[in-house]
């Protein structure tokens, strides 16, 4: 019985982290639309942001979060934001370099993998 409970908790944690990633990407897409002249307006980042934040809130109300999930969730948010920024700057080189965004994304993804137990597993 404890295995199914553990699997449900891990699934819920992964859902929270993916929603935080989507929220970060959506926020960066909206910010890029406002600041970069080459990026055109799209309603889809607004829809994705609203739905991901609503789902995060519903998940928060449904059950309390584990100890490390809020901090890892913030890191996933920033991975989404910096990852989208690097992707956008690769598409539009005149918007600036993407070296910093790639390095921050990689460092945060490594830290997340270590916290989630994918790195350093015995």
């Amino acid at each position: 019985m404890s295995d199914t409970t553990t699997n449900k908790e891990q699934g819920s944690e992964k859902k929270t982290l993916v929603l935080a990633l989507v929220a970060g990407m959506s926020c960066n897409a909206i910010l890029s639309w406002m600041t970069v002249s080459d990026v055109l307006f799209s309603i889809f980042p607004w829809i994705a942001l609203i739905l991901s934040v609503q789902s995060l809130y519903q998940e928060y109300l449904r059950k309390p979060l584990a100890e490390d999930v809020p901090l890892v969730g913030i890191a996933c948010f920033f991975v989404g934001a910096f990852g989208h920024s690097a992707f956008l700057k690769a598409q539009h080189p005149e918007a600036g370099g993407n070296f910093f965004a790639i390095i921050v994304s990689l460092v945060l993804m490594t830290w997340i993998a270590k916290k989630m137990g994918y790195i350093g597993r015995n």
Side-chain angles (χ1 to χ4, degrees):
M1 186 90 168
S2 64
D3 290 336
T4 58
T5 306
T6 305
N7 288 339
K8 287 181 183 179
E9 289 174 5
Q10 287 178 348
S12 176
E13 289 176 4
K14 289 179 183 179
K15 178 182 175 182
T16 302
L17 299 180
V18 169
L19 287 170
L21 182 79
V22 170
M25 290 171 53
S26 301
C27 285
N28 187 270
I30 293 168
L31 182 65
S32 298
W33 162 67
M34 291 190 281
T35 58
V36 179
S37 62
D38 291 336
V39 178
L40 301 174
F41 173 76
S42 177
I43 192 72
F44 297 112
W46 290 97
I47 294 170
L49 179 64
I50 291 167
L51 291 176
S52 63
V53 169
Q54 180 185 11
S55 295
L56 279 170
Y57 182 66
Q58 291 298 322
E59 192 69 26
Y60 171 73
L61 290 178
R62 194 168 309 138
K63 65 173 95 171
L65 298 174
E67 184 178 323
D68 288 340
V69 173
L71 193 57
V72 176
I74 291 171
C76 284
F77 178 86
F78 284 117
V79 165
F82 282 111
H84 184 269
S85 176
F87 177 75
L88 186 73
K89 289 179 181 180
Q91 284 185 329
H92 303 284
E94 63 277 357
N98 60 359
F99 180 74
F100 178 73
I102 291 172
I103 295 300
V104 170
S105 295
L106 289 175
V107 168
L108 285 174
M109 284 191 290
T110 304
W111 183 80
I112 290 168
K114 185 176 178 186
K115 279 295 207 185
M116 296 292 290
Y118 296 118
I119 295 177
R121 208 185 274 183
N122 290 335

